Amino acid sequence: MLDYEILRLIWWLLLGTLLIGFSVMDGFDIGAAMLLPFVARTDNERRLVMNTIGPVWEGNQVWLILGAGAIFAAWPMLYAVAFSGFYLAMFLALAALILRPVSFKFHSEVEHPLWRSFWDFALFISGTVPALIFGVAVGNALQGVPFRLDGALRMTYEGDLLGLLNPFALLCGLVSCAMLVMHGGAYLALKAGPPVADRAAAYARFAAILLLALFIICGVYVWVGLEGYKITSALVHNGPSNPLLKTVARVPRGLLSNYATHPWMLIAPALVFAGAGLTIVLLRGQRVGLTLIASGVAVAGVVATAGLSSFPFLLPSSLDPNASLTVWDSSSSRTTLLIMLVATLIFLPIVLAYTAFIYRVLRGRVTMAYVEDNSSTLY
């Protein structure tokens, strides 16, 4: 029988898996939407881009729902603090995401250029705003957010929307945008016909170079000027979910300490360099199938780097470090984690199998001839 400590660790790994799944699967259609004004120059080319992601984007968003559901059920304190503190930012991201189905629905209903340009812009916003906000949210989570807990574990958040837009968080937002543009460009290079695929490949190469540069700058920023967090008291891994039972100190370069203690964790940033580097090389060689895998590896590396750097912290508090939420003191009960694990082991393979089946059915490029021949039925 799994004990409480193991279940908490398993759910931390599952949460990371779901967030990586969302970033990889939904990341390429977000990136394709961001690239829409740049890789498509005519109405038919823009419809071509829309029809590469139109049949799959809804299925990809299942990963976002699973990730949010996992936070809600397995880490309720994290859900309460994050969704309260980042309320306005999350509202903007969700409002932008809602523009995506609306754009697909209404874009081709009227042939007037102004009508279609409006929905093209809406689709671009539906990719760019979430990409930036998700990165900004991760940047704030890494450096701590201004909340405190009273003796009854009631949360008070003392930040605002503008406070989230600090230099490190914005830098993480740019990393997120570059990462998803690279992934979206790699996807379009595989799925779209020429000339959209050729332009997308060029943007993907540039975004991969930019991602590497921004990732290095983030590392330097963490090394030089960003404090991390360290637990300074004994912590019972099987203990009650009460964050106030420990003491935490802010320490220079705290986000790098895990790599000194556990060098194997360096595999995460190494995946970023390997994935982005291979993306650049493979695009030059027209190996577009392998390119999408390589860009997915880089995306997974970025998300894993954020998670491993902050472990065991889920959301540190910049106001009262002792109230920081960790893997060991902010989870649901052992029974809840166990029941959820059984449900996940049953349903996650079904989701994976269905996803694989859909992508097999929809394999192949979307060409200009296909769009022109089916203009009355496509997006």
Side-chain angles (χ1 to χ4, degrees):
M1 185 65 71
L2 297 173
D3 64 21
Y4 204 5
E5 176 184 357
I6 297 298
L7 281 170
R8 283 168 163 167
L9 191 58
I10 287 175
W11 269 102
W12 176 77
L13 292 170
L14 280 174
L15 178 59
T17 301
L18 293 173
L19 294 179
I20 288 174
F22 165 66
S23 302
V24 172
M25 298 302 296
D26 207 27
F28 66 70
D29 56 58
I30 289 177
M34 295 170 72
L35 282 170
L36 180 67
F38 307 105
V39 300
R41 296 173 182 172
T42 66
D43 183 57
N44 275 346
E45 289 180 357
R46 286 187 284 273
R47 295 187 71 186
L48 187 153
V49 172
M50 293 178 69
N51 282 284
T52 61
I53 59 176
V56 296
W57 74 269
E58 288 175 297
N60 293 339
Q61 291 225 319
V62 168
W63 292 94
L64 175 62
I65 297 169
L66 290 175
I71 294 174
F72 175 77
W75 313 101
M77 290 190 194
L78 173 63
Y79 184 90
V81 175
F83 279 74
S84 298
F86 300 155
Y87 179 78
L88 287 176
M90 290 301 175
F91 173 79
L92 290 174
L94 291 176
L97 285 173
I98 290 172
L99 284 176
R100 185 161 30 167
V102 179
S103 301
F104 282 118
K105 176 67 177 178
F106 289 109
H107 177 273
S108 299
E109 294 295 323
V110 179
E111 291 191 7
H112 195 282
L114 286 178
W115 174 268
R116 295 197 169 182
S117 296
F118 174 80
W119 291 113
D120 290 336
F121 180 72
L123 188 59
F124 168 71
I125 292 297
S126 77
T128 305
V129 171
L132 181 64
I133 287 180
F134 290 150
V136 166
V138 171
N140 279 285
L142 288 174
Q143 61 187 325
V145 296
F147 74 92
R148 65 174 82 248
L149 300 174
D150 65 14
L153 299 182
R154 289 172 298 201
M155 188 274 290
T156 302
Y157 185 83
E158 299 185 11
D160 54 34
L161 180 61
L162 291 179
L164 297 177
L165 304 178
N166 53 75
F168 181 71
L170 288 173
L171 181 58
C172 291
L174 293 177
V175 169
S176 173
C177 290
M179 174 181 80
L180 297 182
V181 166
M182 173 195 70
H183 201 38
Y187 177 75
L188 289 176
L190 173 67
K191 284 292 293 183
V196 172
D198 299 330
R199 297 178 196 137
Y203 279 104
R205 283 196 297 270
F206 174 76
I209 295 170
L210 184 61
L211 170 62
L212 290 175
L214 291 170
F215 192 72
I216 292 171
I217 293 172
C218 271
V220 173
Y221 198 118
V222 170
W223 175 265
V224 173
L226 196 69
E227 287 186 331
Y229 296 81
K230 180 181 180 181
I231 298 172
T232 55
S233 62
L235 186 64
V236 180
H237 296 174
N238 281 315
S241 288
N242 185 344
L244 299 178
L245 298 179
K246 66 180 183 308
T247 59
V248 175
R250 301 182 69 159
V251 294
R253 302 167 188 163
L255 286 172
L256 300 175
S257 61
N258 279 343
Y259 297 106
T261 308
H262 308 289
W264 65 266
M265 290 185 177
L266 288 169
I267 192 173
L271 288 176
V272 181
F273 288 99
L278 281 173
T279 299
I280 298 169
V281 172
L282 292 170
L283 280 172
R284 289 187 182 279
Q286 300 291 314
R287 305 289 298 275
V288 289
L290 292 175
T291 299
L292 186 61
I293 296 174
S295 66
V297 168
V299 171
V302 171
V303 178
T305 298
L308 291 174
S309 298
S310 57
F311 184 83
F313 292 94
L314 295 172
L315 191 63
S317 168
S318 57
L319 277 182
D320 179 11
N322 293 342
S324 299
L325 309 181
T326 76
V327 172
W328 312 118
D329 60 16
S330 58
S331 73
S332 294
S333 68
R334 177 184 173 279
T335 302
T336 300
L337 296 182
L338 184 60
I339 292 173
M340 288 173 54
L341 180 61
V342 172
T344 300
L345 292 176
I346 294 172
F347 290 106
L348 189 58
I350 296 174
V351 172
L352 292 173
Y354 180 73
T355 301
F357 171 74
I358 290 298
Y359 278 91
R360 178 169 176 75
V361 170
L362 297 174
R363 65 187 183 278
R365 289 183 182 272
V366 180
T367 63
M368 287 295 293
Y370 176 75
V371 173
E372 291 167 356
D373 293 343
N374 299 276
S375 60
S376 61
T377 57
L378 296 178
Y379 293 114

